[in-house]
PDB file of all heavy atoms in Angstrom:
ATOM      1  N   ASP A   1      -1.791 -15.105   7.480  1.00 96.00           N
ATOM      2  CA  ASP A   1      -2.223 -13.924   8.213  1.00 96.00           C
ATOM      3  C   ASP A   1      -2.697 -12.855   7.228  1.00 96.00           C
ATOM      4  O   ASP A   1      -2.334 -12.864   6.049  1.00 96.00           O
ATOM      5  CB  ASP A   1      -1.069 -13.357   9.041  1.00 96.00           C
ATOM      6  CG  ASP A   1      -0.663 -14.279  10.172  1.00 96.00           C
ATOM      7  OD1 ASP A   1      -1.513 -15.083  10.618  1.00 96.00           O
ATOM      8  OD2 ASP A   1       0.499 -14.185  10.601  1.00 96.00           O
ATOM      9  N   ARG A   2      -3.485 -11.919   7.718  1.00 97.00           N
ATOM     10  CA  ARG A   2      -3.887 -10.791   6.887  1.00 97.00           C
ATOM     11  C   ARG A   2      -2.686  -9.893   6.624  1.00 97.00           C
ATOM     12  O   ARG A   2      -1.819  -9.729   7.498  1.00 97.00           O
ATOM     13  CB  ARG A   2      -5.008 -10.015   7.571  1.00 97.00           C
ATOM     14  CG  ARG A   2      -6.325 -10.751   7.577  1.00 97.00           C
ATOM     15  CD  ARG A   2      -7.446  -9.938   8.161  1.00 97.00           C
ATOM     16  NE  ARG A   2      -7.264  -9.665   9.580  1.00 97.00           N
ATOM     17  CZ  ARG A   2      -8.220  -9.222  10.381  1.00 97.00           C
ATOM     18  NH1 ARG A   2      -9.427  -8.986   9.877  1.00 97.00           N
ATOM     19  NH2 ARG A   2      -7.971  -8.977  11.644  1.00 97.00           N
ATOM     20  N   GLU A   3      -2.656  -9.326   5.443  1.00 97.00           N
ATOM     21  CA  GLU A   3      -1.525  -8.484   5.027  1.00 97.00           C
ATOM     22  C   GLU A   3      -2.069  -7.178   4.457  1.00 97.00           C
ATOM     23  O   GLU A   3      -2.893  -7.196   3.542  1.00 97.00           O
ATOM     24  CB  GLU A   3      -0.695  -9.201   3.957  1.00 97.00           C
ATOM     25  CG  GLU A   3       0.442  -8.372   3.376  1.00 97.00           C
ATOM     26  CD  GLU A   3       1.099  -9.023   2.166  1.00 97.00           C
ATOM     27  OE1 GLU A   3       0.498  -9.944   1.566  1.00 97.00           O
ATOM     28  OE2 GLU A   3       2.230  -8.611   1.814  1.00 97.00           O
ATOM     29  N   VAL A   4      -1.578  -6.054   4.990  1.00 98.00           N
ATOM     30  CA  VAL A   4      -1.904  -4.764   4.396  1.00 98.00           C
ATOM     31  C   VAL A   4      -1.031  -4.611   3.160  1.00 98.00           C
ATOM     32  O   VAL A   4       0.195  -4.495   3.267  1.00 98.00           O
ATOM     33  CB  VAL A   4      -1.648  -3.607   5.379  1.00 98.00           C
ATOM     34  CG1 VAL A   4      -1.931  -2.271   4.699  1.00 98.00           C
ATOM     35  CG2 VAL A   4      -2.508  -3.757   6.629  1.00 98.00           C
ATOM     36  N   VAL A   5      -1.639  -4.642   1.998  1.00 98.00           N
ATOM     37  CA  VAL A   5      -0.842  -4.570   0.765  1.00 98.00           C
ATOM     38  C   VAL A   5      -0.681  -3.130   0.284  1.00 98.00           C
ATOM     39  O   VAL A   5       0.308  -2.813  -0.381  1.00 98.00           O
ATOM     40  CB  VAL A   5      -1.416  -5.446  -0.362  1.00 98.00           C
ATOM     41  CG1 VAL A   5      -1.387  -6.918   0.039  1.00 98.00           C
ATOM     42  CG2 VAL A   5      -2.830  -5.025  -0.735  1.00 98.00           C
ATOM     43  N   ALA A   6      -1.640  -2.258   0.608  1.00 98.00           N
ATOM     44  CA  ALA A   6      -1.535  -0.857   0.189  1.00 98.00           C
ATOM     45  C   ALA A   6      -2.383   0.009   1.100  1.00 98.00           C
ATOM     46  O   ALA A   6      -3.430  -0.427   1.578  1.00 98.00           O
ATOM     47  CB  ALA A   6      -1.985  -0.688  -1.254  1.00 98.00           C
ATOM     48  N   ALA A   7      -1.916   1.223   1.330  1.00 98.00           N
ATOM     49  CA  ALA A   7      -2.665   2.191   2.131  1.00 98.00           C
ATOM     50  C   ALA A   7      -2.471   3.576   1.524  1.00 98.00           C
ATOM     51  O   ALA A   7      -1.455   3.849   0.881  1.00 98.00           O
ATOM     52  CB  ALA A   7      -2.204   2.171   3.588  1.00 98.00           C
ATOM     53  N   ILE A   8      -3.470   4.442   1.752  1.00 97.00           N
ATOM     54  CA  ILE A   8      -3.414   5.785   1.193  1.00 97.00           C
ATOM     55  C   ILE A   8      -3.974   6.770   2.211  1.00 97.00           C
ATOM     56  O   ILE A   8      -5.000   6.501   2.848  1.00 97.00           O
ATOM     57  CB  ILE A   8      -4.180   5.848  -0.149  1.00 97.00           C
ATOM     58  CG1 ILE A   8      -4.001   7.196  -0.836  1.00 97.00           C
ATOM     59  CG2 ILE A   8      -5.653   5.490   0.033  1.00 97.00           C
ATOM     60  CD1 ILE A   8      -4.496   7.190  -2.289  1.00 97.00           C
ATOM     61  N   SER A   9      -3.292   7.891   2.372  1.00 96.00           N
ATOM     62  CA  SER A   9      -3.744   8.892   3.323  1.00 96.00           C
ATOM     63  C   SER A   9      -5.002   9.595   2.808  1.00 96.00           C
ATOM     64  O   SER A   9      -5.366   9.472   1.640  1.00 96.00           O
ATOM     65  CB  SER A   9      -2.646   9.921   3.583  1.00 96.00           C
ATOM     66  OG  SER A   9      -2.341  10.628   2.391  1.00 96.00           O
ATOM     67  N   TRP A  10      -5.649  10.363   3.667  1.00 94.00           N
ATOM     68  CA  TRP A  10      -6.920  10.979   3.321  1.00 94.00           C
ATOM     69  C   TRP A  10      -6.794  11.892   2.100  1.00 94.00           C
ATOM     70  O   TRP A  10      -7.703  11.973   1.278  1.00 94.00           O
ATOM     71  CB  TRP A  10      -7.451  11.778   4.514  1.00 94.00           C
ATOM     72  CG  TRP A  10      -6.729  13.071   4.742  1.00 94.00           C
ATOM     73  CD1 TRP A  10      -5.550  13.247   5.398  1.00 94.00           C
ATOM     74  CD2 TRP A  10      -7.123  14.361   4.278  1.00 94.00           C
ATOM     75  NE1 TRP A  10      -5.185  14.560   5.372  1.00 94.00           N
ATOM     76  CE2 TRP A  10      -6.138  15.285   4.700  1.00 94.00           C
ATOM     77  CE3 TRP A  10      -8.219  14.835   3.558  1.00 94.00           C
ATOM     78  CZ2 TRP A  10      -6.224  16.636   4.432  1.00 94.00           C
ATOM     79  CZ3 TRP A  10      -8.294  16.187   3.282  1.00 94.00           C
ATOM     80  CH2 TRP A  10      -7.309  17.071   3.716  1.00 94.00           C
ATOM     81  N   SER A  11      -5.636  12.551   1.965  1.00 95.00           N
ATOM     82  CA  SER A  11      -5.436  13.473   0.853  1.00 95.00           C
ATOM     83  C   SER A  11      -4.936  12.773  -0.410  1.00 95.00           C
ATOM     84  O   SER A  11      -4.902  13.382  -1.483  1.00 95.00           O
ATOM     85  CB  SER A  11      -4.420  14.547   1.248  1.00 95.00           C
ATOM     86  OG  SER A  11      -3.137  13.960   1.388  1.00 95.00           O
ATOM     87  N   GLY A  12      -4.508  11.525  -0.254  1.00 95.00           N
ATOM     88  CA  GLY A  12      -3.871  10.834  -1.374  1.00 95.00           C
ATOM     89  C   GLY A  12      -2.394  11.148  -1.502  1.00 95.00           C
ATOM     90  O   GLY A  12      -1.718  10.620  -2.376  1.00 95.00           O
ATOM     91  N   GLY A  13      -1.892  11.996  -0.606  1.00 95.00           N
ATOM     92  CA  GLY A  13      -0.513  12.444  -0.718  1.00 95.00           C
ATOM     93  C   GLY A  13       0.522  11.450  -0.246  1.00 95.00           C
ATOM     94  O   GLY A  13       1.701  11.534  -0.612  1.00 95.00           O
ATOM     95  N   ARG A  14       0.108  10.512   0.572  1.00 97.00           N
ATOM     96  CA  ARG A  14       1.031   9.478   1.044  1.00 97.00           C
ATOM     97  C   ARG A  14       0.450   8.114   0.740  1.00 97.00           C
ATOM     98  O   ARG A  14      -0.756   7.884   0.908  1.00 97.00           O
ATOM     99  CB  ARG A  14       1.291   9.612   2.543  1.00 97.00           C
ATOM    100  CG  ARG A  14       2.122  10.820   2.931  1.00 97.00           C
ATOM    101  CD  ARG A  14       2.702  10.627   4.323  1.00 97.00           C
ATOM    102  NE  ARG A  14       3.663   9.532   4.348  1.00 97.00           N
ATOM    103  CZ  ARG A  14       3.990   8.863   5.463  1.00 97.00           C
ATOM    104  NH1 ARG A  14       3.422   9.156   6.609  1.00 97.00           N
ATOM    105  NH2 ARG A  14       4.880   7.911   5.421  1.00 97.00           N
ATOM    106  N   LYS A  15       1.321   7.225   0.307  1.00 98.00           N
ATOM    107  CA  LYS A  15       0.918   5.861  -0.013  1.00 98.00           C
ATOM    108  C   LYS A  15       1.934   4.873   0.557  1.00 98.00           C
ATOM    109  O   LYS A  15       3.115   5.186   0.679  1.00 98.00           O
ATOM    110  CB  LYS A  15       0.803   5.672  -1.530  1.00 98.00           C
ATOM    111  CG  LYS A  15      -0.224   6.585  -2.175  1.00 98.00           C
ATOM    112  CD  LYS A  15      -0.264   6.398  -3.678  1.00 98.00           C
ATOM    113  CE  LYS A  15      -1.250   7.387  -4.307  1.00 98.00           C
ATOM    114  NZ  LYS A  15      -1.316   7.234  -5.783  1.00 98.00           N
ATOM    115  N   TYR A  16       1.430   3.702   0.874  1.00 98.00           N
ATOM    116  CA  TYR A  16       2.274   2.614   1.355  1.00 98.00           C
ATOM    117  C   TYR A  16       1.979   1.378   0.524  1.00 98.00           C
ATOM    118  O   TYR A  16       0.815   1.120   0.169  1.00 98.00           O
ATOM    119  CB  TYR A  16       1.987   2.319   2.834  1.00 98.00           C
ATOM    120  CG  TYR A  16       2.460   0.952   3.272  1.00 98.00           C
ATOM    121  CD1 TYR A  16       3.776   0.746   3.669  1.00 98.00           C
ATOM    122  CD2 TYR A  16       1.583  -0.138   3.261  1.00 98.00           C
ATOM    123  CE1 TYR A  16       4.207  -0.520   4.050  1.00 98.00           C
ATOM    124  CE2 TYR A  16       2.015  -1.400   3.638  1.00 98.00           C
ATOM    125  CZ  TYR A  16       3.323  -1.584   4.031  1.00 98.00           C
ATOM    126  OH  TYR A  16       3.757  -2.830   4.400  1.00 98.00           O
ATOM    127  N   TYR A  17       3.035   0.605   0.222  1.00 98.00           N
ATOM    128  CA  TYR A  17       2.878  -0.686  -0.444  1.00 98.00           C
ATOM    129  C   TYR A  17       3.740  -1.714   0.270  1.00 98.00           C
ATOM    130  O   TYR A  17       4.881  -1.426   0.657  1.00 98.00           O
ATOM    131  CB  TYR A  17       3.311  -0.608  -1.903  1.00 98.00           C
ATOM    132  CG  TYR A  17       2.485   0.341  -2.740  1.00 98.00           C
ATOM    133  CD1 TYR A  17       2.935   1.625  -3.014  1.00 98.00           C
ATOM    134  CD2 TYR A  17       1.251  -0.056  -3.242  1.00 98.00           C
ATOM    135  CE1 TYR A  17       2.180   2.500  -3.769  1.00 98.00           C
ATOM    136  CE2 TYR A  17       0.482   0.821  -4.001  1.00 98.00           C
ATOM    137  CZ  TYR A  17       0.953   2.096  -4.255  1.00 98.00           C
ATOM    138  OH  TYR A  17       0.191   2.955  -4.999  1.00 98.00           O
ATOM    139  N   SER A  18       3.210  -2.905   0.426  1.00 98.00           N
ATOM    140  CA  SER A  18       4.021  -3.982   0.962  1.00 98.00           C
ATOM    141  C   SER A  18       5.068  -4.381  -0.076  1.00 98.00           C
ATOM    142  O   SER A  18       4.886  -4.164  -1.280  1.00 98.00           O
ATOM    143  CB  SER A  18       3.153  -5.177   1.334  1.00 98.00           C
ATOM    144  OG  SER A  18       2.581  -5.751   0.171  1.00 98.00           O
ATOM    145  N   ASP A  19       6.143  -4.962   0.379  1.00 97.00           N
ATOM    146  CA  ASP A  19       7.208  -5.380  -0.541  1.00 97.00           C
ATOM    147  C   ASP A  19       6.698  -6.376  -1.573  1.00 97.00           C
ATOM    148  O   ASP A  19       7.185  -6.427  -2.700  1.00 97.00           O
ATOM    149  CB  ASP A  19       8.363  -5.990   0.239  1.00 97.00           C
ATOM    150  CG  ASP A  19       9.143  -4.951   1.022  1.00 97.00           C
ATOM    151  OD1 ASP A  19       9.011  -3.746   0.724  1.00 97.00           O
ATOM    152  OD2 ASP A  19       9.878  -5.342   1.950  1.00 97.00           O
ATOM    153  N   SER A  20       5.702  -7.164  -1.199  1.00 97.00           N
ATOM    154  CA  SER A  20       5.211  -8.213  -2.085  1.00 97.00           C
ATOM    155  C   SER A  20       4.466  -7.667  -3.302  1.00 97.00           C
ATOM    156  O   SER A  20       4.315  -8.373  -4.297  1.00 97.00           O
ATOM    157  CB  SER A  20       4.306  -9.172  -1.311  1.00 97.00           C
ATOM    158  OG  SER A  20       3.207  -8.487  -0.761  1.00 97.00           O
ATOM    159  N   VAL A  21       4.001  -6.412  -3.239  1.00 98.00           N
ATOM    160  CA  VAL A  21       3.229  -5.859  -4.365  1.00 98.00           C
ATOM    161  C   VAL A  21       3.831  -4.592  -4.939  1.00 98.00           C
ATOM    162  O   VAL A  21       3.348  -4.083  -5.965  1.00 98.00           O
ATOM    163  CB  VAL A  21       1.769  -5.586  -3.955  1.00 98.00           C
ATOM    164  CG1 VAL A  21       1.137  -6.831  -3.338  1.00 98.00           C
ATOM    165  CG2 VAL A  21       1.657  -4.392  -3.017  1.00 98.00           C
ATOM    166  N   LYS A  22       4.882  -4.082  -4.317  1.00 98.00           N
ATOM    167  CA  LYS A  22       5.476  -2.831  -4.758  1.00 98.00           C
ATOM    168  C   LYS A  22       5.915  -2.914  -6.219  1.00 98.00           C
ATOM    169  O   LYS A  22       6.539  -3.883  -6.640  1.00 98.00           O
ATOM    170  CB  LYS A  22       6.675  -2.488  -3.860  1.00 98.00           C
ATOM    171  CG  LYS A  22       7.133  -1.053  -3.904  1.00 98.00           C
ATOM    172  CD  LYS A  22       8.190  -0.807  -2.841  1.00 98.00           C
ATOM    173  CE  LYS A  22       7.661  -1.012  -1.454  1.00 98.00           C
ATOM    174  NZ  LYS A  22       8.669  -0.743  -0.402  1.00 98.00           N
ATOM    175  N   GLY A  23       5.526  -1.914  -6.982  1.00 98.00           N
ATOM    176  CA  GLY A  23       5.860  -1.880  -8.401  1.00 98.00           C
ATOM    177  C   GLY A  23       4.817  -2.542  -9.282  1.00 98.00           C
ATOM    178  O   GLY A  23       4.872  -2.392 -10.513  1.00 98.00           O
ATOM    179  N   ARG A  24       3.877  -3.267  -8.684  1.00 98.00           N
ATOM    180  CA  ARG A  24       2.838  -3.953  -9.468  1.00 98.00           C
ATOM    181  C   ARG A  24       1.439  -3.425  -9.167  1.00 98.00           C
ATOM    182  O   ARG A  24       0.586  -3.422 -10.044  1.00 98.00           O
ATOM    183  CB  ARG A  24       2.874  -5.459  -9.180  1.00 98.00           C
ATOM    184  CG  ARG A  24       4.197  -6.118  -9.521  1.00 98.00           C
ATOM    185  CD  ARG A  24       4.098  -7.642  -9.371  1.00 98.00           C
ATOM    186  NE  ARG A  24       3.823  -8.054  -7.993  1.00 98.00           N
ATOM    187  CZ  ARG A  24       2.746  -8.776  -7.636  1.00 98.00           C
ATOM    188  NH1 ARG A  24       1.859  -9.147  -8.546  1.00 98.00           N
ATOM    189  NH2 ARG A  24       2.577  -9.124  -6.369  1.00 98.00           N
ATOM    190  N   PHE A  25       1.212  -3.015  -7.924  1.00 98.00           N
ATOM    191  CA  PHE A  25      -0.108  -2.531  -7.503  1.00 98.00           C
ATOM    192  C   PHE A  25      -0.059  -1.010  -7.310  1.00 98.00           C
ATOM    193  O   PHE A  25       0.974  -0.458  -6.900  1.00 98.00           O
ATOM    194  CB  PHE A  25      -0.529  -3.162  -6.190  1.00 98.00           C
ATOM    195  CG  PHE A  25      -0.868  -4.630  -6.258  1.00 98.00           C
ATOM    196  CD1 PHE A  25      -0.586  -5.403  -7.381  1.00 98.00           C
ATOM    197  CD2 PHE A  25      -1.492  -5.250  -5.180  1.00 98.00           C
ATOM    198  CE1 PHE A  25      -0.912  -6.751  -7.426  1.00 98.00           C
ATOM    199  CE2 PHE A  25      -1.825  -6.592  -5.212  1.00 98.00           C
ATOM    200  CZ  PHE A  25      -1.521  -7.349  -6.339  1.00 98.00           C
ATOM    201  N   THR A  26      -1.199  -0.366  -7.568  1.00 98.00           N
ATOM    202  CA  THR A  26      -1.319   1.074  -7.349  1.00 98.00           C
ATOM    203  C   THR A  26      -2.628   1.368  -6.631  1.00 98.00           C
ATOM    204  O   THR A  26      -3.689   0.964  -7.107  1.00 98.00           O
ATOM    205  CB  THR A  26      -1.278   1.850  -8.667  1.00 98.00           C
ATOM    206  OG1 THR A  26      -0.059   1.556  -9.364  1.00 98.00           O
ATOM    207  CG2 THR A  26      -1.358   3.350  -8.405  1.00 98.00           C
TER     208      THR A  26
END
């Protein structure tokens, strides 16, 4: 399935990372 690995709000102030990439992807 498709996986959202990272997301960023319009301002850049909030970010999300999936557990599978957290700590490795920015």
Side-chain angles (χ1 to χ4, degrees):
D1 292 335
R2 288 184 294 195
E3 175 189 17
V4 177
V5 297
I8 187 168
S9 63
W10 75 278
S11 68
R14 290 199 66 203
K15 299 178 183 180
Y16 161 85
Y17 297 99
S18 66
D19 289 343
S20 59
V21 307
K22 198 172 297 181
R24 300 187 297 121
F25 290 11
T26 302

